[in-house]
Amino acid sequence: MSRFQPNEIEPKWQAAWEKAGTFTARHDPDRPKYYVLEMFPYPSGNLHMGHVRNYTMGDVVARYKAAQGFSVLHPMGWDAFGLPAENAAMERKVHPGDWTYANIENMKRQFASLGLSLDWSREFATCDPGYYGQQQAMFIDFMEKGLVYRKNAVVNWDPVDMTVLANEQVEDGRGWRSGAVVERRELTQWFFRISDFSEDLLEALDGLDNWPEKVKSMQRNWIGRSRGLQFSFSTVSAPEGFDRIEVYTTRPDTLMGASFIGVSPDHPLAKALERDNPDIAAFNAECRKTGTSEEALEKAEKKGFDTGLRVRHPFDTGWELPVWIANFILMDYGTGAIYGVPAHDQRDHDFAVKYGLPIIDTFLPAAGDHDIRAAAYVPPKSEPVRYTRGFAGDEVQTGEAAIEAAIRFCEGNGIGQGVTRFRLRDWGLSRQRYWGCPIPVVHCDACGVVPEKKENLPVELPRDVSFDKPGNPLDRHPTWRDVPCPHCGRPARRETDTMDTFVDSSWYYARFTAPHATTPTDPVEADYWMNVDQYIGGIEHAILHLLYSRFFARAMHLTGHLPQKAIEPFDALFTQGMVTHEIYVTRDDRDRPVYHLPEHVEWTENGAQLGATGEPVEVIPSAKMSKSKKNVVDPVNIVSSYGADTARWFVLSDSPPERDVEWTAAGAEAAFRHLSRVWRMANEIATATGEGTGDTELLREVHKTIHDVTMGIESFGFNTSVARLYAFTNTLHKSKAGADARRQAMRVMAQLMSPMTPHLAEEIWALLDGEGLVAEAPWPQADPAMLVEDTVTMPIQINGKRKAEIAVARDLPKEDIEKRALAHDAVVKALNGGAPKKLIVVPGRIINVVI
RNA sequence: GCCCGCGUGGUGGAAUGGUAGACACAGGGGACUUAAAAUCCCCAGGCCGGAAGGCCGUGCCGGUUCGAGUCCGGCCGCGGGUACCA
């Protein structure tokens, strides 16, 4: 017998599938469709284990659903715009387009070796003009529907490189290349009105029954609906135009505990004051040196500046409160101004202690006490508390009741009004970069902002650009920028901002239903294939990508590009865990981290070191594999030495799909050994003859295995399906059943393995005279009658601890089980002549004797 | 900081509130072999014990329950997101 040789059988079956057109999606009105989609990859140039895991999972679902008779759509494409291409252009003097398409070619070849059941005829990259041109057409439609607008927003500005930085490019407040302190700078930018959909995007989450609760929970918090009071304080001797300061609070019941007013450094009042006050200007400038990310702002040391202005408390005009500028107040949320209640907010408490501001309690525990000097008192809003400075509602009431009472009271007294607000901000889509989808508008001195004519789309990126200077090459392109106005024909300027790459990935699922259509979608195809029945991707996309896609589907429906049923485009979502790996780092002469690929690191008795130089390497615990940290593993080596089936089997077997998995080399060898063993068994069985014993027992195991493996796939418990197939391999190996029974068992096993190890499954299927391709064979059915056992083993617990077990007939009445249990030696001994306090019998499950 | 997860043997993990550790990896013992590889068989949570058996055990502390890895509360640690990484 020859050996198991994946590099021979895998290309053979890949060719057979291609010849048969097995994976070509067919619009077949007579069959139920199933659309399975994995989040498409960024073409970094190399497949990594995270891809293998993600796409193998999707492939299991796709192949399984096909076997169940569905007309399956399982497409693949490339999320091809983005920063790394521009970085490559700067570092290696290659054109971003050339770099990207070369990466795609390379990765596609690697993909092919995995034997995924993909319909490559639908492939596209988001950087194809054919794709982004349709995106531009939709942008224009969105403009017409009022879903797009422009406003000022802040960006990270590198004053040395004179360029806008991504948050990722800001390290400790400094630009990653220049090392310059980053500043916040305002630019006019394009926005989608996603916040118009806040309520709908929130409410509709309740209907997404097949989404993970954690993702819905994250989105709910992100959208962040809050109920509160908006009102204004009247100011004392403020600059002109600032007679009032508008604030929003979710805790109006604490108004009598107000201690100060805080405004954002970006608040109009703060900006007005800094014109005449150099100290305020200096403070604000200092605040603006914090990056734009929420994380940076929130983690920064809380600082304030007393403006000297005062406001009057709305309940008591003799009570004046100081107005501070505080660096932790975000201009983007609420009104950019708050009042601080140190007694009931820890951040305000810290601030009050730091600057010697009063701490005034408004409520205390209903029973007991709380030292308000030491820490803020912040009980859950649902907990009843005793109001010491209440002004509406009962003395003892919950925060929730008090908030509503306070809103009613204030509204009744002409002090502001109750409002519902959302944390969700509009989606800023402008990027000052080259490698993205051009925003298809023209700026004309006479006509203003004019959309490009649709017949002129796509607005293509110019090829001839240089990256020798930082900043957006489109901005300094000699000819691309200067165009006639589409409206009046006079000289005008193209918009040089491109779109956020999240726009590209917000509708690709819809484009896959008609990837070659001359409109963004084709109504007939969209109607047949939408929605995505199963979407699979990383948890890191739980909020932004998925929320933006939900918004985009709604916007596409409003502009006639998707049917009503597709406004929630993903019927079911599965978030797989990440593939993690240790990180290897050394420091450069400026003590900045330099990351190293695992393949460049060697382990010695002194620890990890660089293979080339022997320089010691610091090992940082496992984290998400990312190109920037270089903690990536190349699966190509595994495929070339063990074959795709081994790689697939391994990534499915070692960890539950939703959990992170740390990649190890150890398991690959074991996976290969197992598949070799299965292959050997199939060869033995193929030539076996004669009768044996235990045919029925083997058949029962076959049916139990069908059941368990099927349940595993249905519930995304691929690792348990794999474990079950391991166990069945052992069973079949030990079985003394006759040749026919073992052949039948082996054929079923090939079918059950086919979604996971499709090449080996085909080989075995052919070896055992299976009909046609196993990839096109119907899924085996478990016979329910074969699944039930006649006797069951029941554990006997005494006081909740297992002490014995008895075997009873499956349908033995409860009373008889009780009798049998009480008669058991261990129970008799434990009872010592007495009667049990309680006897719990769950038939088929457990017996618990309480003494 | 805030939001969301996760935490089980040496390792990856299994377990509708009902026998914790299935199935593997690494390890140990044995068979086969001149030998090795490969393959096959067996052992294996910890502690005590020759064994029978006993005690402990799912990050930590507490609670609900006849019964908690699973549910609830509070900690600790790790990870993801934090609106310009994708």
Side-chain angles (χ1 to χ4, degrees), chain A residues 17 23 58-67 115-117 648 754-755 758 775:
Chain A
W17 297 324
F23 309 131
D59 203 43
V60 170
V61 175
R63 287 173 178 271
Y64 168 72
K65 289 292 176 182
L116 300 167
S117 64
R648 296 169 59 118
S754 69

Side-chain angles (χ1 to χ4, degrees), chain A residues 562-578:
Chain A
L562 276 180
Q564 167 71 34
K565 69 171 184 182
I567 64 167
E568 284 298 343
F570 312 124
D571 280 354
L573 173 69
F574 185 84
T575 54
Q576 104 245 17
M578 284 165 297

Side-chain angles (χ1 to χ4, degrees), chain A residues 792-796 804-809 817 841-847:
Chain A
V792 290
T793 304
M794 290 182 65
I796 300 175
E805 62 182 35
I806 48 173
V808 299
I817 299 175
V841 175
V842 184
R845 276 279 168 208
I846 203 157
I847 301 151

Side-chain angles (χ1 to χ4, degrees), chain A residues 755-825:
Chain A
M756 303 164 192
T757 57
H759 313 88
L760 175 60
E762 291 289 3
E763 191 71 16
I764 295 173
W765 187 252
L767 195 63
L768 298 177
D769 308 319
E771 196 181 323
L773 291 164
V774 73
E776 294 178 350
W779 194 250
Q781 298 290 317
D783 178 356
M786 300 292 273
L787 302 178
V788 287
E789 298 284 357
D790 294 334
T791 60
V792 290
T793 304
M794 290 182 65
I796 300 175
Q797 295 182 335
I798 292 169
N799 288 339
K801 292 197 170 198
R802 195 190 80 91
K803 294 290 174 181
E805 62 182 35
I806 48 173
V808 299
R810 180 168 49 82
D811 49 3
L812 190 71
K814 198 169 168 179
E815 299 73 43
D816 296 343
I817 299 175
E818 285 180 10
K819 272 183 215 152
R820 291 273 312 273
L822 290 174
H824 194 281
D825 284 352

Side-chain angles (χ1 to χ4, degrees), chain A residues 40 79 126 131 501-509 535 545 549:
Chain A
F40 65 166
D79 189 14
T126 56
Y131 182 79
T501 56
F502 274 124
V503 180
D504 313 332
S505 56
S506 288
W507 71 286
Y508 76 108
Y509 52 86
Y535 196 32
H545 162 62
S549 294

